[in-house]
Amino acid sequence: MPEALIDAATLRNRLDEHTPTVILDVRWKLGDDRGHEHYVDGHIPGALYADINQDLAAPASAAAGRHALPAIDDLTQSLQRWGIHPDSTVVVYDDNASQSAARAWWLLRWAGIGDVRVLDGGLSAWRDAGNRLETGEQTAADTGTATAVAGALPTWDIDAVARRGPDVLLVDARAGERYRGETEPVDPRPGHIPGALSAPTADNVDADGRFLPADRLRSRFTGLGIGDAKEVVVYCGSGVTAAHELLALELAGFEAALFPGSWSQWSADAERPAAVGENPR
């Protein structure tokens, strides 16, 4: 299995053998902000809770988006509170087909943490393997020494996205109905950035929320024309599920950058154009 992923059996073996592993529970869903409550009710033994809004993003704003990248000093504090050291292996998981866990995977990698893995299939895979959960709050055994350093993975800002040339492929990772502008549950305007290609993250996983094999992911993205682009930039609603697309692209062997502000930032600026319907333009 690619190093970006870890399966439940391997994680269980690491815990049984007391192999140092930092586990982060990143449960969060759009419309359900009770991730911490779910964590307290039951989580993988030893897991610490990572809050999407407080730990993995800056405060929401129209100017920067709903989940802008956190300040680097704030992220360093979180890394150290979680007991992360420069050589730590970090495993992240959720209960939503890894859509929020992938944000933690991408953000920690962006901040310079080299060994970060997503539990493939998330909490369901752990339970289905017959593993137990524990309840209550957990804290790290020690204070970490890792320091976040921005920029280990590429990002594009809103102006760079607007200026992109024809050899740059912009990918919209949201559900198709949001891309087409049929519904918009949270952001100021419906639609998508003109020229963006629709590639919903739901198509990256199987019915159990596990990532498709690398060859199938590669076939999917090649069929969308991603292999022909000089550069690929991915966005979603607020930069969370776009990280899921970036993980799938990495598994498939493609490189891509994140537009962190995503549609929440773009649509909040009335001077930025929007397109609706199936046609990218």
Side-chain angles (χ1 to χ4, degrees), residues 257-273:
L258 176 69
F259 167 29
S262 285
W263 184 246
S264 61
Q265 182 185 26
W266 185 279
S267 63
D269 184 347
E271 295 186 1
R272 306 281 182 181

Side-chain angles (χ1 to χ4, degrees), residues 14-15 22 37 51 80 99 118 150 163 209 228 235 238 271:
R14 291 183 68 91
L15 297 184
V22 177
E37 294 178 35
D51 189 285
Q80 296 181 357
Q99 297 222 3
V118 174
R163 293 192 306 265
D228 299 326
Y235 77 94
S238 64
E271 295 186 1

Side-chain angles (χ1 to χ4, degrees), residues 52-53 57-71 103 158 186-188 237-239 259-269:
I52 282 281
N53 295 310
S61 70
R66 286 186 284 111
H67 290 107
L69 300 183
R103 166 69 175 217
I158 190 170
V186 62
D187 289 320
S238 64
F259 167 29
S262 285
W263 184 246
S264 61
Q265 182 185 26
W266 185 279
S267 63
D269 184 347

Side-chain angles (χ1 to χ4, degrees), residues 8-108:
T10 302
L11 178 58
R12 173 64 185 269
N13 287 340
R14 291 183 68 91
L15 297 184
D16 287 348
E17 295 169 3
H18 304 288
T19 304
T21 308
V22 177
I23 306 175
L24 299 181
D25 183 311
V26 201
R27 272 180 280 181
W28 175 86
K29 298 177 186 177
L30 188 63
D32 181 1
D33 59 359
R34 297 181 297 118
H36 184 258
E37 294 178 35
H38 301 319
Y39 161 82
V40 171
D41 288 342
H43 54 263
I44 294 174
L48 311 174
Y49 186 67
D51 189 285
I52 282 281
N53 295 310
Q54 297 181 26
D55 299 321
L56 304 179
S61 70
R66 286 186 284 111
H67 290 107
L69 300 183
I72 204 69
D73 289 344
D74 293 341
L75 185 54
T76 291
Q77 290 182 19
S78 294
L79 297 178
Q80 296 181 357
R81 173 166 49 85
W82 294 325
I84 296 176
H85 301 281
D87 60 349
S88 290
T89 294
V90 183
V91 174
V92 296
Y93 74 90
D94 61 28
D95 61 351
N96 188 32
S98 300
Q99 297 222 3
S100 55
R103 166 69 175 217
W105 167 83
W106 183 91
L107 186 65
L108 268 60

Side-chain angles (χ1 to χ4, degrees), residues 1-6 105 109 116-119 247 250-251:
M1 182 172 288
E3 291 184 1
L5 300 179
I6 188 171
W105 167 83
R109 289 273 309 278
V116 188
R117 312 181 195 188
V118 174
L119 176 59
L247 174 52
E250 178 168 309
L251 296 174

